[in-house]
Amino acid sequence: MSYHFQTEEAVLARLGRYVGIETPSGNRDQMEKLNVLMTEDLAEAGASVERVERPSGAVLKASIGEGDKQILLLGHRDTVFKMGDLAQNPYREETRDRETVLRGPGVLDMKAGDVMIVEMMRHFKDRLPEGWKLTALLNCDEEVGSHESEDLIREEAKKSVCALVTEPSIPGMCTVARKGIGAYRIEAEGISAHSGVNYEKGASAIEALCHVISEIYGLRDLSRSITINIGSIEAPGKNNIISAKAVCRGEVRCFDTAYMKETLKKMEAICENEPVPGTKVKFIYTGGRPPMMQSDASRRLFEAAQASAKHHGLELKGRIHGGGSDGSYVADEGIPVLDGMGAEGDGAHTGGEYARKETLMKRLMVCCDVIESIIQGEC
């Protein structure tokens, strides 16, 4: 198949422009700068672009073709990096282990994937059969849970025959399954008292929370890949005062939806007990992502990608991943999804993040081959 992309030089120059606009999650002004540039690039590539406003910034919905058979592409423009990181880590090429890599905050996760989506639109412009549509959703809150865009992702997923997610992956890999994430907050209330004068009249919220946390950690089951974490504990007070309030926040992760529901239910039950006389503990689920489990249809997408990768001289293996992705929302709607189809690299979310230059265009070709296989009914 012949591919209708811009030159590698032009693609890498665009990537540099995207990385050059810092887009921390929640920074609406910076996000809008990239919105404007990406809207221009997508339109130039032949896509129609719609803005869907959200508090953190507009979600871009780009489409080519018309019809009921929709293939969905997912990407995001926010990064975990803070303003000013670019000055110490500008977009550039470096040599690492005798190969050229691309550097800069967000270059791997996932502005390289955003550039790939632009080129997929360009390639399929005027080349989709009648009845087929290619739609991309690019949000700006993926790194903080996609709470503002989840509804849009699910809505478009329901209209789609399948989805590709251009999240990055480590070299030679794509993502076939992801852990679900269940975030929660636990609030404990006690009775304040002076620890020296009237100790027996107090009921420590901190003590109650410690009892609960100990029991919750006991729900870990690594044989079923159920992991539990408490990420923060807050209990403002003084050394000589029994604390009347304490709060902790954490998450549970696992690959199975049933295990997730079971574990969250057990946590809630633990908190319903009175761990310390005179205290009350409340469990509050604060959201998360469902597990992304590989269905038979998703497996066929992976097999098509694997065959294409081999044709282009790449290795492609499926991996299971503990991190979250918007692909989980698609899978939860029962739609086949293949994740981690973006750039190859490593060090995501760190100052050492890099993307492999030599494989970027080939990974783009693989994505286009998979889309063509879907259209032809081969997977």
Side-chain angles (χ1 to χ4, degrees):
M1 180 168 69
S2 59
Y3 301 95
H4 304 275
F5 308 140
Q6 286 192 328
T7 64
E8 180 184 56
E9 181 180 8
V11 170
L12 294 178
R14 181 183 301 112
L15 177 56
R17 291 192 291 273
Y18 289 3
V19 175
I21 300 174
E22 294 178 284
T23 51
S25 301
N27 191 321
R28 186 181 176 91
D29 291 341
Q30 287 297 114
M31 211 68 65
E32 183 58 20
K33 293 177 183 179
L34 186 53
N35 276 348
V36 171
L37 181 55
M38 281 205 72
T39 298
E40 292 174 353
D41 290 345
L42 287 163
E44 186 273 332
S48 61
V49 185
E50 174 187 348
R51 291 172 57 102
V52 184
E53 298 297 335
R54 288 292 186 265
S56 296
V59 178
L60 299 184
K61 178 183 174 181
S63 299
I64 58 171
E66 295 182 2
D68 297 331
K69 298 176 182 178
Q70 174 171 279
I71 298 170
L72 182 63
L73 306 175
L74 292 180
H76 68 85
R77 287 155 299 131
D78 62 321
T79 75
V80 301
F81 298 95
K82 64 181 185 298
M83 290 297 296
D85 284 351
L86 183 68
Q88 288 75 43
N89 186 22
Y91 177 73
R92 64 198 184 279
E93 293 187 5
E94 286 184 354
T95 300
R96 178 192 296 263
D97 297 329
R98 299 183 181 180
E99 73 167 342
T100 303
V101 298
L102 310 169
R103 296 291 313 281
V107 66
L108 178 67
D109 190 10
M110 64 168 292
K111 291 182 177 179
D114 295 335
V115 168
M116 291 173 66
I117 286 175
V118 173
E119 291 306 305
M120 279 185 256
M121 290 289 173
R122 186 187 313 280
H123 170 74
F124 283 103
K125 176 191 175 185
D126 302 325
R127 294 178 181 87
L128 288 176
E130 184 177 350
W132 285 88
K133 185 177 184 180
L134 185 62
T135 296
L137 279 183
L138 298 136
N139 65 1
C140 51
D141 63 333
E142 192 275 343
E143 295 291 5
V144 290
S146 301
H147 303 301
E148 296 176 6
S149 54
E150 176 186 349
D151 60 331
L152 294 174
I153 295 167
R154 289 183 178 274
E155 179 183 336
E156 290 303 322
K158 292 174 184 176
K159 302 175 186 176
S160 305
V161 298
C162 66
L164 299 183
V165 186
T166 56
E167 285 279 359
S169 191
I170 58 176
M173 298 286 184
C174 67
T175 305
V176 297
R178 286 184 182 270
K179 278 190 171 184
I181 305 169
Y184 53 85
R185 182 174 74 252
I186 301 174
E187 299 177 351
E189 292 186 9
I191 301 172
S192 182
H194 193 284
S195 64
V197 177
N198 56 352
Y199 183 85
E200 68 281 356
K201 292 185 178 180
S204 173
I206 292 176
E207 183 183 359
L209 194 60
C210 286
H211 279 286
V212 166
I213 289 173
S214 179
E215 285 194 65
I216 282 178
Y217 269 121
L219 298 176
R220 282 182 297 193
D221 187 344
L222 299 185
S223 69
R224 298 194 295 173
S225 296
I226 300 172
T227 58
I228 291 171
N229 183 56
I230 302 294
S232 68
I233 300 176
E234 301 167 18
K238 298 180 180 180
N239 290 352
N240 62 345
I241 301 296
I242 294 173
S243 176
K245 291 187 180 296
V247 178
C248 72
R249 294 173 176 81
E251 64 174 30
V252 54
R253 296 192 185 216
C254 63
F255 288 110
D256 189 283
T257 302
Y259 292 167
M260 174 71 76
K261 292 179 179 178
E262 173 190 327
T263 305
L264 290 170
K265 188 174 181 179
K266 288 179 178 179
M267 288 181 175
E268 189 171 8
I270 288 171
C271 293
E272 288 173 353
N273 298 323
E274 187 182 56
V276 173
T279 64
K280 293 181 180 179
V281 180
K282 185 178 182 181
F283 179 85
I284 303 164
Y285 177 71
T286 57
R289 284 192 172 97
M292 189 186 91
M293 302 169 69
Q294 187 182 40
S295 65
D296 290 341
S298 296
R299 186 175 293 106
R300 288 193 290 272
L301 289 179
F302 166 66
E303 289 169 352
Q306 195 173 43
S308 171
K310 183 177 181 180
H311 174 75
H312 293 294
L314 297 177
E315 181 181 35
L316 190 65
K317 296 180 180 179
R319 69 165 177 163
I320 56 176
H321 199 295
S325 157
D326 290 335
S328 294
Y329 297 130
V330 178
D332 197 47
E333 295 294 339
I335 307 302
V337 59
L338 185 58
D339 204 339
M341 289 300 292
E344 289 188 353
D346 209 346
H349 293 196
T350 74
E353 179 174 311
Y354 71 89
R356 299 179 69 203
K357 177 182 176 181
E358 67 174 310
T359 62
L360 184 61
M361 299 302 288
K362 290 182 178 180
R363 295 276 291 202
L364 175 57
M365 293 175 188
V366 172
C367 288
C368 290
D369 289 350
V370 172
I371 293 172
E372 189 65 34
S373 296
I374 296 162
I375 293 171
Q376 298 301 324
E378 298 171 356
C379 63

